[in-house]
């Protein structure tokens, strides 16, 4: 009687071990989905964390076009809020000309340039829904990789339309302000609203 009893005890103890071993083989960690609660932390980090980061990176917004420097012939749009009415609208800017000029070519210039005069031909169009008074004086800054931003605007404007004015929706102005930059190259940043950036040639 004692021998069958011992055999039965051994058999009963072996059954759960067999069942556990069978479950482990049936659901190995490598086959579990990343959302399965049975997946271990180590396995999740190894297989699921990096893809999740990659998916998050894919959802990041694309770089704003206004952050891409414009050259002659390029256009871009930027949001602008009127400082008086606090109403927002959208402007389209087109770069028509970038030309370095000498002292004699700068109309109405009575003092030498601190650096280098550059004539900037641009077209501004209100493509939004609200009227806005846009100003460029004091809002155009020059910088390059080594030099911090500094004001480049002047009061020197050749004959022609003024960019600094009130724009109703659909209205356009093409102007040619003369700017004073420290040297050739670098970029010009329009700092009001979302702004835009223009790359200057060397």
């Amino acid at each position: 009687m004692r021998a069958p009893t011992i055999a039965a005890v051994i058999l009963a103890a072996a059954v759960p071990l067999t069942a556990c071993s069978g479950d482990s083989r049936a659901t190995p960690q490598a086959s579990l989905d990343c959302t399965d609660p049975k997946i271990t932390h180590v396995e999740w980090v190894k297989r699921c964390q990096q893809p999740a980061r990659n998916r998050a990176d894919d959802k990041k917004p694309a770089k704003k076009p206004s952050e891409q420097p414009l050259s002659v012939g390029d256009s871009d749009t930027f949001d602008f809020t009127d400082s008086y009415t606090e109403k927002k609208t959208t402007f389209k800017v087109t770069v028509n000309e970038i030309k370095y000029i000498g002292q004699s070519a700068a109309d109405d210039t009575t003092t030498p340039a601190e650096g280098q005069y550059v004539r900037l031909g641009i077209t501004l169009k209100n493509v939004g829904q609200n009227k806005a008074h846009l100003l460029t004086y004091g809002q155009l800054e020059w910088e390059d990789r080594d030099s911090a931003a500094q004001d480049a605007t002047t009061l020197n404007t050749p004959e022609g339309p003024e960019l600094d004015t009130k724009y109703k929706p659909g209205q356009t102005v093409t102007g040619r302000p003369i700017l004073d930059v420290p040297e050739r190259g670098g970029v010009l940043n329009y700092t009001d609203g979302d702004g835009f950036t223009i790359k200057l040639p060397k």
Side-chain angles (χ1 to χ4, degrees), residues 72-179:
V72 175
D74 292 341
S75 296
D76 194 9
T77 59
F78 63 97
D79 291 332
F80 178 86
T81 301
D82 188 291
S83 59
Y84 299 102
T85 65
E86 297 185 351
K87 290 185 177 180
K88 182 180 290 186
T89 192
T90 301
F91 276 87
K92 178 181 179 181
V93 55
T94 301
V95 181
N96 307 312
E97 176 190 31
I98 301 173
K99 184 177 181 180
Y100 294 108
I101 59 177
Q103 186 70 32
S104 61
D107 294 353
D108 301 325
T109 297
T110 56
T111 57
E114 293 183 12
Q116 166 70 60
Y117 279 127
V118 58
R119 187 169 63 218
L120 180 65
I122 59 174
T123 298
L124 293 171
K125 181 176 183 179
N126 185 346
V127 295
Q129 303 298 316
N130 294 304
K131 181 173 68 174
H133 190 174
L134 184 144
L135 299 174
T136 59
Y137 185 77
Q139 303 294 339
L140 284 164
E141 296 181 344
W142 176 92
E143 67 176 325
D144 66 6
R145 183 176 299 178
D146 301 317
S147 303
Q150 52 194 289
D151 182 30
T153 55
T154 69
L155 291 173
N156 305 317
T157 304
E159 293 182 5
E162 292 281 352
L163 289 170
D164 296 15
T165 188
K166 296 177 182 178
Y167 295 74
K168 294 178 181 178
Q171 289 185 331
T172 301
V173 173
T174 296
R176 298 192 305 165
I178 294 174
L179 308 177

Side-chain angles (χ1 to χ4, degrees), residues 4-72:
T5 302
I6 294 173
V9 171
I10 293 173
L11 181 62
V15 170
L17 294 175
T18 304
C20 292
S21 177
D23 288 345
S24 177
R25 287 193 299 271
T27 57
Q29 287 290 307
S31 67
L32 294 177
D33 185 81
C34 291
T35 59
D36 196 311
K38 296 179 182 178
I39 193 169
T40 65
H41 178 71
V42 173
E43 185 69 13
W44 185 88
V45 169
K46 183 172 69 175
R47 290 196 295 112
C48 309
Q49 185 176 33
Q50 188 59 40
R53 286 177 178 172
N54 291 341
R55 287 192 296 272
D57 291 340
D58 292 341
K59 293 179 182 178
K60 288 182 180 178
K63 192 174 184 182
K64 286 175 63 62
S66 59
E67 296 175 4
Q68 303 292 341
L70 304 175
S71 298
V72 175

